[in-house]
Amino acid sequence: MDLSARTAEQIGEAIRRTRKARGWTQSDLSGRTNLRVATISSLENGDAGTKIATLLTVMAALGLEFRLVVRGESVEIEDIF
Amino acid sequence: MDLSARTAEQIGEAIRRTRKARGWTQSDLSGRTNLRVATISSLENGDAGTKIATLLTVMAALGLEFRLVVRGESVEIEDIF
DNA sequence: GCTCCTTTTACGGCGGAGCGTAAATTAAAC
DNA sequence: GTTTAATTTACGCTCCGCCGTAAAAGGAGC
């Protein structure tokens, strides 16, 4: 799974898809993160006002991490150096 | 360029590196985004309280996008950092 | 129809982000 | 070391996220 995102909506969708791929409800995620169900809901619905801390907490619970990629560049290892 | 991040500090560092790779100052970024220099400064310094909207605005100005990847699934190149 | 589970929305409260603006600290040149 | 550029920090202000808690709306199945 490798989801690109440039908007809060796309981030939320990636979170939601990963959560469902884990077979978890928002309530499950809430229990694992100490974040309110309401908070997770608005994050998944693309609220750009959500704090980075909240996003990172959810991503950690889902086993996700970021890659900040320059648009248009491929992720070829040869391009690193 | 491909920077992995699991923490706000790593995100901030990736932002700063990309900005400098563009030869821009925080003031330049501020002008391109209508965000205060102070806001950009705290983002680059790893403030997890920063809003996703702010991060996305800065990333768009820098030509960056996210990739949310499942940890361990693809090639780990985070050690570039 | 009616349950049960899940998700969304609401409200008072508090804390903090980003604004406008400015000053202070740090780094870089000369 | 002194000027200049760059970054960080501060203050009053407004806005809103997340909290605790609860209720309402949506969906799946019987």
mmCIF file of all heavy atoms in Angstrom, chain A residues 34-36 39 49-51 54, chain D residues 16-23:
data_model
loop_
_atom_site.group_PDB
_atom_site.id
_atom_site.type_symbol
_atom_site.label_atom_id
_atom_site.label_comp_id
_atom_site.label_asym_id
_atom_site.label_seq_id
_atom_site.Cartn_x
_atom_site.Cartn_y
_atom_site.Cartn_z
ATOM 1 N N ASN A 34 -6.126 7.111 22.266
ATOM 2 C CA ASN A 34 -6.630 8.105 23.218
ATOM 3 C C ASN A 34 -7.131 9.369 22.520
ATOM 4 O O ASN A 34 -7.218 10.430 23.136
ATOM 5 C CB ASN A 34 -5.567 8.481 24.259
ATOM 6 C CG ASN A 34 -5.357 7.353 25.248
ATOM 7 O OD1 ASN A 34 -6.306 6.670 25.627
ATOM 8 N ND2 ASN A 34 -4.121 7.136 25.640
ATOM 9 N N LEU A 35 -7.436 9.230 21.247
ATOM 10 C CA LEU A 35 -8.079 10.334 20.528
ATOM 11 C C LEU A 35 -9.570 10.037 20.470
ATOM 12 O O LEU A 35 -9.982 8.880 20.426
ATOM 13 C CB LEU A 35 -7.535 10.457 19.105
ATOM 14 C CG LEU A 35 -6.080 10.893 18.956
ATOM 15 C CD1 LEU A 35 -5.609 10.730 17.524
ATOM 16 C CD2 LEU A 35 -5.906 12.333 19.413
ATOM 17 N N ARG A 36 -10.374 11.096 20.491
ATOM 18 C CA ARG A 36 -11.821 10.914 20.413
ATOM 19 C C ARG A 36 -12.227 10.370 19.053
ATOM 20 O O ARG A 36 -11.588 10.655 18.036
ATOM 21 C CB ARG A 36 -12.539 12.218 20.657
ATOM 22 C CG ARG A 36 -12.276 12.872 21.956
ATOM 23 C CD ARG A 36 -12.833 12.087 23.130
ATOM 24 N NE ARG A 36 -11.839 12.035 24.190
ATOM 25 C CZ ARG A 36 -11.086 10.980 24.453
ATOM 26 N NH1 ARG A 36 -11.228 9.861 23.793
ATOM 27 N NH2 ARG A 36 -10.199 11.001 25.408
ATOM 28 N N THR A 39 -12.675 13.143 16.716
ATOM 29 C CA THR A 39 -11.440 13.678 16.146
ATOM 30 C C THR A 39 -10.995 12.850 14.953
ATOM 31 O O THR A 39 -10.615 13.384 13.900
ATOM 32 C CB THR A 39 -10.333 13.694 17.220
ATOM 33 O OG1 THR A 39 -10.768 14.483 18.330
ATOM 34 C CG2 THR A 39 -9.053 14.266 16.669
ATOM 35 N N GLY A 49 -7.630 21.439 9.315
ATOM 36 C CA GLY A 49 -7.325 22.122 10.563
ATOM 37 C C GLY A 49 -6.793 21.176 11.626
ATOM 38 O O GLY A 49 -6.301 21.611 12.663
ATOM 39 N N THR A 50 -6.888 19.901 11.346
ATOM 40 C CA THR A 50 -6.357 18.899 12.271
ATOM 41 C C THR A 50 -4.868 19.122 12.505
ATOM 42 O O THR A 50 -4.144 19.529 11.609
ATOM 43 C CB THR A 50 -6.580 17.487 11.697
ATOM 44 O OG1 THR A 50 -7.975 17.276 11.481
ATOM 45 C CG2 THR A 50 -6.057 16.427 12.647
ATOM 46 N N LYS A 51 -4.432 18.868 13.716
ATOM 47 C CA LYS A 51 -3.024 19.081 14.032
ATOM 48 C C LYS A 51 -2.164 17.924 13.543
ATOM 49 O O LYS A 51 -2.603 16.775 13.483
ATOM 50 C CB LYS A 51 -2.842 19.236 15.545
ATOM 51 C CG LYS A 51 -3.522 20.451 16.119
ATOM 52 C CD LYS A 51 -3.371 20.503 17.640
ATOM 53 C CE LYS A 51 -4.125 21.717 18.193
ATOM 54 N NZ LYS A 51 -4.055 21.790 19.667
ATOM 55 N N THR A 54 -2.027 14.963 15.833
ATOM 56 C CA THR A 54 -3.140 14.017 15.722
ATOM 57 C C THR A 54 -2.916 13.058 14.567
ATOM 58 O O THR A 54 -3.081 11.835 14.705
ATOM 59 C CB THR A 54 -4.457 14.786 15.522
ATOM 60 O OG1 THR A 54 -4.645 15.691 16.607
ATOM 61 C CG2 THR A 54 -5.632 13.837 15.441
ATOM 62 P P DC D 16 -12.672 29.618 12.477
ATOM 63 O OP1 DC D 16 -12.558 29.502 10.999
ATOM 64 O OP2 DC D 16 -13.968 29.959 13.112
ATOM 65 O "O5'" DC D 16 -12.142 28.267 13.134
ATOM 66 C "C5'" DC D 16 -10.800 27.857 12.922
ATOM 67 C "C4'" DC D 16 -10.398 26.802 13.946
ATOM 68 O "O4'" DC D 16 -10.186 27.411 15.237
ATOM 69 C "C3'" DC D 16 -11.451 25.712 14.177
ATOM 70 O "O3'" DC D 16 -10.779 24.483 14.387
ATOM 71 C "C2'" DC D 16 -12.099 26.143 15.469
ATOM 72 C "C1'" DC D 16 -10.852 26.608 16.191
ATOM 73 N N1 DC D 16 -11.089 27.384 17.427
ATOM 74 C C2 DC D 16 -10.184 27.232 18.484
ATOM 75 O O2 DC D 16 -9.230 26.484 18.350
ATOM 76 N N3 DC D 16 -10.395 27.930 19.623
ATOM 77 C C4 DC D 16 -11.447 28.739 19.719
ATOM 78 N N4 DC D 16 -11.615 29.404 20.862
ATOM 79 C C5 DC D 16 -12.372 28.903 18.656
ATOM 80 C C6 DC D 16 -12.162 28.214 17.529
ATOM 81 P P DG D 17 -11.050 23.203 13.510
ATOM 82 O OP1 DG D 17 -10.578 23.544 12.165
ATOM 83 O OP2 DG D 17 -12.436 22.746 13.730
ATOM 84 O "O5'" DG D 17 -10.058 22.138 14.153
ATOM 85 C "C5'" DG D 17 -8.673 22.420 14.174
ATOM 86 C "C4'" DG D 17 -8.027 21.786 15.402
ATOM 87 O "O4'" DG D 17 -8.302 22.579 16.583
ATOM 88 C "C3'" DG D 17 -8.503 20.382 15.725
ATOM 89 O "O3'" DG D 17 -7.395 19.618 16.208
ATOM 90 C "C2'" DG D 17 -9.535 20.578 16.835
ATOM 91 C "C1'" DG D 17 -8.986 21.801 17.555
ATOM 92 N N9 DG D 17 -10.016 22.668 18.137
ATOM 93 C C8 DG D 17 -11.105 23.193 17.493
ATOM 94 N N7 DG D 17 -11.835 23.955 18.257
ATOM 95 C C5 DG D 17 -11.199 23.935 19.484
ATOM 96 C C6 DG D 17 -11.532 24.568 20.698
ATOM 97 O O6 DG D 17 -12.488 25.313 20.935
ATOM 98 N N1 DG D 17 -10.621 24.274 21.696
ATOM 99 C C2 DG D 17 -9.516 23.463 21.546
ATOM 100 N N2 DG D 17 -8.759 23.290 22.628
ATOM 101 N N3 DG D 17 -9.195 22.859 20.413
ATOM 102 C C4 DG D 17 -10.071 23.138 19.426
ATOM 103 P P DC D 18 -7.498 18.033 16.173
ATOM 104 O OP1 DC D 18 -6.145 17.546 15.851
ATOM 105 O OP2 DC D 18 -8.634 17.654 15.326
ATOM 106 O "O5'" DC D 18 -7.840 17.616 17.665
ATOM 107 C "C5'" DC D 18 -6.874 17.829 18.685
ATOM 108 C "C4'" DC D 18 -7.555 17.777 20.040
ATOM 109 O "O4'" DC D 18 -8.468 18.884 20.147
ATOM 110 C "C3'" DC D 18 -8.381 16.510 20.279
ATOM 111 O "O3'" DC D 18 -7.777 15.732 21.298
ATOM 112 C "C2'" DC D 18 -9.769 17.034 20.673
ATOM 113 C "C1'" DC D 18 -9.509 18.497 21.007
ATOM 114 N N1 DC D 18 -10.670 19.389 20.785
ATOM 115 C C2 DC D 18 -11.085 20.242 21.818
ATOM 116 O O2 DC D 18 -10.479 20.224 22.882
ATOM 117 N N3 DC D 18 -12.139 21.058 21.610
ATOM 118 C C4 DC D 18 -12.782 21.054 20.437
ATOM 119 N N4 DC D 18 -13.816 21.884 20.275
ATOM 120 C C5 DC D 18 -12.379 20.192 19.368
ATOM 121 C C6 DC D 18 -11.324 19.386 19.586
ATOM 122 P P DC D 19 -8.506 14.440 21.896
ATOM 123 O OP1 DC D 19 -7.440 13.516 22.316
ATOM 124 O OP2 DC D 19 -9.538 14.009 20.924
ATOM 125 O "O5'" DC D 19 -9.250 14.989 23.206
ATOM 126 C "C5'" DC D 19 -8.473 15.583 24.246
ATOM 127 C "C4'" DC D 19 -9.391 16.194 25.295
ATOM 128 O "O4'" DC D 19 -10.119 17.285 24.692
ATOM 129 C "C3'" DC D 19 -10.446 15.230 25.831
ATOM 130 O "O3'" DC D 19 -10.027 14.675 27.061
ATOM 131 C "C2'" DC D 19 -11.692 16.097 26.026
ATOM 132 C "C1'" DC D 19 -11.368 17.411 25.336
ATOM 133 N N1 DC D 19 -12.359 17.787 24.297
ATOM 134 C C2 DC D 19 -13.365 18.702 24.612
ATOM 135 O O2 DC D 19 -13.421 19.161 25.748
ATOM 136 N N3 DC D 19 -14.250 19.043 23.651
ATOM 137 C C4 DC D 19 -14.152 18.520 22.432
ATOM 138 N N4 DC D 19 -15.037 18.893 21.510
ATOM 139 C C5 DC D 19 -13.134 17.582 22.101
ATOM 140 C C6 DC D 19 -12.265 17.241 23.060
ATOM 141 P P DG D 20 -10.631 13.250 27.507
ATOM 142 O OP1 DG D 20 -9.815 12.743 28.624
ATOM 143 O OP2 DG D 20 -10.819 12.441 26.290
ATOM 144 O "O5'" DG D 20 -12.090 13.631 28.065
ATOM 145 C "C5'" DG D 20 -12.217 14.528 29.160
ATOM 146 C "C4'" DG D 20 -13.686 14.833 29.401
ATOM 147 O "O4'" DG D 20 -14.179 15.644 28.309
ATOM 148 C "C3'" DG D 20 -14.578 13.589 29.461
ATOM 149 O "O3'" DG D 20 -15.323 13.550 30.666
ATOM 150 C "C2'" DG D 20 -15.489 13.708 28.229
ATOM 151 C "C1'" DG D 20 -15.470 15.203 27.943
ATOM 152 N N9 DG D 20 -15.696 15.504 26.547
ATOM 153 C C8 DG D 20 -15.091 14.911 25.474
ATOM 154 N N7 DG D 20 -15.481 15.375 24.324
ATOM 155 C C5 DG D 20 -16.415 16.343 24.655
ATOM 156 C C6 DG D 20 -17.183 17.198 23.822
ATOM 157 O O6 DG D 20 -17.189 17.260 22.585
ATOM 158 N N1 DG D 20 -18.011 18.041 24.560
ATOM 159 C C2 DG D 20 -18.091 18.054 25.935
ATOM 160 N N2 DG D 20 -18.933 18.913 26.475
ATOM 161 N N3 DG D 20 -17.368 17.259 26.727
ATOM 162 C C4 DG D 20 -16.551 16.435 26.017
ATOM 163 P P DT D 21 -16.202 12.214 30.987
ATOM 164 O OP1 DT D 21 -16.496 12.184 32.429
ATOM 165 O OP2 DT D 21 -15.535 11.068 30.344
ATOM 166 O "O5'" DT D 21 -17.565 12.502 30.195
ATOM 167 C "C5'" DT D 21 -18.178 13.784 30.269
ATOM 168 C "C4'" DT D 21 -19.321 13.905 29.286
ATOM 169 O "O4'" DT D 21 -18.808 14.231 27.971
ATOM 170 C "C3'" DT D 21 -20.143 12.620 29.078
ATOM 171 O "O3'" DT D 21 -21.378 12.743 29.769
ATOM 172 C "C2'" DT D 21 -20.335 12.531 27.563
ATOM 173 C "C1'" DT D 21 -19.821 13.877 27.054
ATOM 174 N N1 DT D 21 -19.218 13.810 25.698
ATOM 175 C C2 DT D 21 -19.716 14.620 24.711
ATOM 176 O O2 DT D 21 -20.637 15.393 24.895
ATOM 177 N N3 DT D 21 -19.105 14.490 23.493
ATOM 178 C C4 DT D 21 -18.058 13.645 23.176
ATOM 179 O O4 DT D 21 -17.590 13.622 22.043
ATOM 180 C C5 DT D 21 -17.579 12.816 24.259
ATOM 181 C C7 DT D 21 -16.459 11.875 24.025
ATOM 182 C C6 DT D 21 -18.175 12.944 25.456
ATOM 183 P P DA D 22 -22.464 11.519 29.739
ATOM 184 O OP1 DA D 22 -23.271 11.633 30.967
ATOM 185 O OP2 DA D 22 -21.765 10.256 29.438
ATOM 186 O "O5'" DA D 22 -23.375 11.906 28.479
ATOM 187 C "C5'" DA D 22 -23.798 13.259 28.307
ATOM 188 C "C4'" DA D 22 -24.349 13.460 26.896
ATOM 189 O "O4'" DA D 22 -23.268 13.447 25.945
ATOM 190 C "C3'" DA D 22 -25.312 12.369 26.434
ATOM 191 O "O3'" DA D 22 -26.639 12.895 26.474
ATOM 192 C "C2'" DA D 22 -24.874 12.037 25.006
ATOM 193 C "C1'" DA D 22 -23.796 13.073 24.698
ATOM 194 N N9 DA D 22 -22.696 12.574 23.880
ATOM 195 C C8 DA D 22 -21.741 11.659 24.234
ATOM 196 N N7 DA D 22 -20.875 11.406 23.282
ATOM 197 C C5 DA D 22 -21.289 12.203 22.226
ATOM 198 C C6 DA D 22 -20.790 12.390 20.929
ATOM 199 N N6 DA D 22 -19.714 11.764 20.450
ATOM 200 N N1 DA D 22 -21.452 13.266 20.123
ATOM 201 C C2 DA D 22 -22.525 13.891 20.614
ATOM 202 N N3 DA D 22 -23.090 13.804 21.810
ATOM 203 C C4 DA D 22 -22.413 12.932 22.581
ATOM 204 P P DA D 23 -27.892 11.942 26.150
ATOM 205 O OP1 DA D 23 -28.992 12.354 27.034
ATOM 206 O OP2 DA D 23 -27.428 10.537 26.140
ATOM 207 O "O5'" DA D 23 -28.257 12.361 24.654
ATOM 208 C "C5'" DA D 23 -28.336 13.743 24.313
ATOM 209 C "C4'" DA D 23 -28.250 13.902 22.798
ATOM 210 O "O4'" DA D 23 -26.944 13.456 22.355
ATOM 211 C "C3'" DA D 23 -29.279 13.089 22.002
ATOM 212 O "O3'" DA D 23 -29.938 13.930 21.083
ATOM 213 C "C2'" DA D 23 -28.439 12.031 21.286
ATOM 214 C "C1'" DA D 23 -27.109 12.741 21.152
ATOM 215 N N9 DA D 23 -25.956 11.846 21.007
ATOM 216 C C8 DA D 23 -25.528 10.887 21.885
ATOM 217 N N7 DA D 23 -24.449 10.244 21.496
ATOM 218 C C5 DA D 23 -24.156 10.807 20.268
ATOM 219 C C6 DA D 23 -23.129 10.562 19.333
ATOM 220 N N6 DA D 23 -22.186 9.651 19.508
ATOM 221 N N1 DA D 23 -23.124 11.314 18.199
ATOM 222 C C2 DA D 23 -24.084 12.237 18.033
ATOM 223 N N3 DA D 23 -25.092 12.560 18.835
ATOM 224 C C4 DA D 23 -25.069 11.800 19.954
#
